[in-house]
Amino acid sequence: QAPLVESGGEEVQVGGSLKLSCTGSGLSWRNTCMGWFRQAPGKEREGVAALYFTDDRTAYVDSVKGRFSISQDNATTVSLQMNNLKPEDTAVYYCAAAGTCYQSGLFRPQMYNYWGQGTQVTVSS
């Protein structure tokens, strides 16, 4: 599995939008699902969105439902569209891929095998 690489993080105003991308060679055919996680200073890493490559099913944590959207752009790229951003969305965002996925593990870092290096998202008021 080639490394995963995130991009798109930057500073944005409250209410703004950002699109993060995660790219990896063979991403969709080597893995079963993809997750986006975030980690703010002093906090644990939390899952925010997940996608099954097999049938495009998606899942979101309550705090981002209706604002974030995960999608597969092509065989090597998965995106996270983030709208109506809030200061509490400030964090380093990571993408992760898993070969074996189960519903209860979608937002658990332990389920994922491959991780990117992270991209910083800062929402300022």
Side-chain angles (χ1 to χ4, degrees):
Q1 171 81 42
L4 302 179
V5 180
E6 302 97 337
S7 62
E10 60 182 73
E11 184 171 359
V12 64
Q13 296 288 315
V14 169
S17 298
L18 278 178
K19 184 176 182 179
L20 305 183
S21 295
C22 175
T23 300
S25 176
L27 190 61
S28 61
W29 59 265
R30 292 176 184 269
N31 301 284
T32 302
C33 63
M34 168 70 74
W36 280 97
F37 289 75
R38 65 186 180 188
Q39 189 166 19
K43 295 188 176 181
E44 293 187 353
R45 190 169 297 190
E46 65 164 344
V48 297
L51 167 76
Y52 283 94
F53 289 121
T54 51
D55 58 10
D56 290 334
R57 279 182 294 149
T58 58
Y60 301 92
V61 68
D62 286 347
S63 60
V64 307
K65 281 181 180 177
R67 301 190 298 122
F68 289 14
S69 177
I70 185 172
S71 62
Q72 182 180 355
D73 295 345
N74 53 53
T76 61
T77 303
V78 172
S79 297
L80 183 69
Q81 177 67 45
M82 304 186 296
N83 299 322
N84 189 23
L85 284 161
K86 304 176 180 181
E88 52 265 41
D89 295 320
T90 295
V92 178
Y93 282 72
Y94 300 88
C95 64
T100 300
C101 304
Y102 47 95
Q103 189 69 23
S104 62
L106 287 178
F107 298 136
R108 296 180 180 177
Q110 297 88 337
M111 191 184 79
Y112 292 83
N113 310 106
Y114 308 103
W115 290 83
Q117 81 291 347
T119 185
Q120 176 71 47
V121 172
T122 302
V123 184
S124 57
S125 56

